[in-house]
Amino acid sequence: GAFAVCRLGKSKATPDLKVAVKTVLRSHPHFDMKALNHEITIMRAANHPKCIGLIEVIEDKQAVHLVEELASGGELFDRIVALGRFTEKDAVFLVHQVW
């Protein structure tokens, strides 16, 4: 997101498994727990092999940490920009890969 920090981590259950830890600071001026809970609900409901899975949510006084499956393929936005154009046909192709 616009105000979260994502770091590489290790799974507690399986130390050899790398995970992404998305940290959202409570002190950020745009922090919205209701919106974050909505994101968490969607991530838990989106149980699909081509969607990043939410493994665990850890809360402390300073932040909310979302432990997620690691996706190391890079940013979709960067790939779209590198194409120079992104047509409706390209979007249809991409969506069909997900579903």
Side-chain angles (χ1 to χ4, degrees):
F3 57 92
V5 175
C6 197
R7 294 186 173 90
L8 182 63
K10 292 181 182 179
S11 168
K12 284 193 253 179
T14 312
D16 291 339
L17 179 66
K18 292 180 182 178
V19 296
V21 181
K22 178 178 173 181
T23 299
V24 183
L25 295 175
R26 295 178 187 273
S27 61
H28 192 283
H30 297 294
F31 179 80
D32 181 348
M33 193 63 204
K34 184 177 177 182
L36 188 56
N37 278 331
H38 184 66
E39 178 180 345
I40 291 166
T41 300
I42 290 170
M43 288 189 75
R44 285 186 172 147
N47 186 12
H48 189 279
K50 294 194 178 183
C51 292
I52 293 173
L54 180 64
I55 298 169
E56 183 178 8
V57 177
I58 302 168
E59 294 188 53
D60 59 35
K61 290 181 181 180
Q62 290 80 31
V64 179
H65 312 275
L66 306 181
V67 181
E68 305 172 358
E69 294 174 337
L70 180 63
S72 58
E75 293 288 333
L76 175 60
F77 179 77
D78 293 338
R79 291 182 182 202
I80 292 170
V81 170
L83 288 173
R85 62 184 178 85
F86 194 69
T87 65
E88 185 175 347
K89 184 178 178 181
D90 295 329
V92 168
F93 176 76
L94 182 68
V95 171
H96 279 278
Q97 287 182 358
V98 174
W99 299 111

